[in-house]
Amino acid sequence: MNRYATTVRRWWAVPPALLALVLVCRTAGALELPVPSLSGGTTGARLDHLAPLIVVAAVMYCLDRGIPEAEATAVAPVRTLDAAALLLTGALTHPAAPLVGLAVPRNTLLLLAVAVLAHRLTHATGATFTALGALFLTLLIADPGDPYWWALPLHPSDSLPAWLASAVLFGAALWFKGARR
């Protein structure tokens, strides 16, 4: 099963994505990109809001690679191994928090949860774009200076409700990922 995780699923792609996340946030994390706003004009979206999509894309790439026939007859529970890899990915974003800020690991968990939930209905590209669309919809509708309760990526990094909601959504995504279709 170790060979399956490295050659088929290619979970080795996630650590370089985490490194790229840290490098992007350290070098250009405060850079603001113009995003149109429904309240008129444009608003600025910091690059560290978009950086978690690097990890999301790598994880979706790994989850989309598989051999369904081999997984259906495997002795080792592939769903459990995928859930463990997702948990490990979420856990590995947190040691980087002193370098990238506390909001980046939270947003990575949140966008990863949205993508994993969308992956039940579509393929990796669709799931990644669903997470991107959810983020852009949040940036388009919410006010970054005073985010609404549902605009979790825009909450301050020390917001306990945003952390709890992200963790609960991530747990729900792991549970749905493991559930049979």
Side-chain angles (χ1 to χ4, degrees):
M1 193 46 66
N2 184 21
R3 184 166 289 185
Y4 186 82
T6 57
T7 58
V8 176
R9 284 282 197 217
R10 297 188 182 176
W11 283 110
W12 52 263
V14 174
L18 289 168
L19 181 62
L21 171 77
V22 170
L23 291 175
V24 165
C25 288
R26 288 294 292 172
T27 57
L31 180 69
E32 287 204 7
L33 304 171
V35 175
S37 175
L38 286 182
S39 61
T42 60
T43 184
R46 290 194 344 244
L47 194 57
D48 61 357
H49 287 135
L50 301 171
L53 291 168
I54 298 169
V55 176
V56 169
V59 168
M60 289 300 112
Y61 167 76
C62 295
L63 286 178
D64 214 35
R65 300 190 52 84
I67 305 170
E69 297 82 13
E71 291 176 17
T73 60
V75 174
V78 177
R79 286 188 183 106
T80 305
L81 295 174
D82 286 345
L86 285 167
L87 272 173
L88 184 62
T89 301
L92 285 177
T93 60
H94 289 77
L99 298 173
V100 298
L102 290 173
V104 174
R106 180 198 66 209
N107 291 344
T108 303
L109 279 183
L110 178 68
L111 294 175
L112 197 54
V114 169
V116 168
L117 288 171
H119 192 255
R120 291 279 297 189
L121 303 173
T122 184
H123 49 79
T125 307
T128 304
F129 278 111
T130 301
L132 175 67
L135 180 63
F136 272 138
L137 187 64
T138 302
L139 292 171
L140 183 70
I141 295 174
D143 179 21
D146 184 29
Y148 300 102
W149 62 269
W150 52 267
L152 296 176
L154 301 179
H155 279 265
S157 59
D158 61 347
S159 173
L160 186 61
W163 271 100
L164 288 175
S166 297
V168 166
L169 189 61
F170 187 68
L174 287 177
W175 184 78
F176 279 116
K177 173 78 179 125
R180 295 201 182 269
R181 292 186 181 184

